[in-house]
């Protein structure tokens, strides 16, 4: 009976240690955010300001997006094409903004870095990247 108890206790401790190790190896990272067009070319951040006092959201039919990636550096200027591997969401997607710890509306400065973004990185585009604006 005592050897069975020791065996179960050892198994439990090994499983618990594995769970702690998995938690220590989470997918936490820093993400940089930029206002850019559909092709990933950085534009003036005012284009992604969805406050009512602004004409954000695109010129005519050109939508703008908030692009993000853990591989983006800071300091990319308008006209710069962002490196491959980023993701985007519509500039006025309040839920997506909030999920990254960004303000749900208003202006986001190009190059904004959010620390400890969990599990949000990766390549491709999010499902929230539909056309926006007029």
């Amino acid at each position: 009976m005592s050897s069975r108890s020791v065996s179960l206790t050892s198994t439990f401790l090994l499983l618990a240690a594995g769970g702690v190790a998995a938690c220590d190896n989470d997918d936490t990272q820093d993400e940089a955010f930029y206002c850019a067009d559909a092709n990933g070319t950085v534009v003036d951040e005012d284009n992604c300001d969805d406050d009512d006092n602004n004409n954000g959201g695109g010129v005519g039919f050109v939508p703008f997006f908030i692009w993000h990636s853990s591989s983006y550096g800071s300091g990319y200027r308008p006209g710069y094409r962002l490196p491959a591997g980023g993701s985007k969401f519509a500039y006025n997607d309040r839920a997506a903004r909030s999920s990254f710890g960004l303000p749900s509306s208003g202006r986001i400065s190009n190059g904004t870095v959010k620390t400890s973004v969990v599990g949000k990185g990766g390549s491709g585009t999010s499902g929230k990247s539909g056309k926006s604006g007029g």
Side-chain angles (χ1 to χ4, degrees), residues 7-21:
S7 176
L8 289 175
T9 301
S10 298
T11 301
F12 174 75
L13 290 174
L14 286 173
L15 289 173
V20 169

Side-chain angles (χ1 to χ4, degrees), residues 5-125:
S5 176
V6 168
S7 176
L8 289 175
T9 301
S10 298
T11 301
F12 174 75
L13 290 174
L14 286 173
L15 289 173
V20 169
C23 288
D24 286 345
N25 192 21
D26 62 358
D27 193 16
T28 301
Q29 54 199 354
D30 293 348
E31 295 270 330
F33 296 83
Y34 285 89
C35 180
D37 67 12
N39 297 316
T41 301
V42 177
V43 297
D44 189 282
E45 57 224 11
D46 287 339
N47 290 303
C48 291
D49 183 349
D50 64 345
D51 282 343
D52 293 336
N53 298 333
N54 192 322
N55 296 328
V59 177
F61 61 90
V62 180
F64 292 109
F65 300 89
I66 297 175
W67 285 76
H68 61 96
S69 176
S70 59
S71 66
Y72 292 168
S74 61
Y76 300 146
R77 303 267 182 236
Y80 180 84
R81 177 86 186 254
L82 292 167
S87 297
K88 66 182 177 184
F89 57 87
Y91 78 97
N92 59 353
D93 184 338
R94 291 175 182 248
R97 283 172 164 243
S98 294
S99 73
F100 287 101
L102 298 167
S104 63
S105 65
R107 185 173 180 240
I108 298 170
S109 296
N110 280 333
T112 294
V113 175
K114 295 305 276 184
T115 303
S116 301
V117 175
V118 179
K120 302 285 185 185
S123 61
T125 60

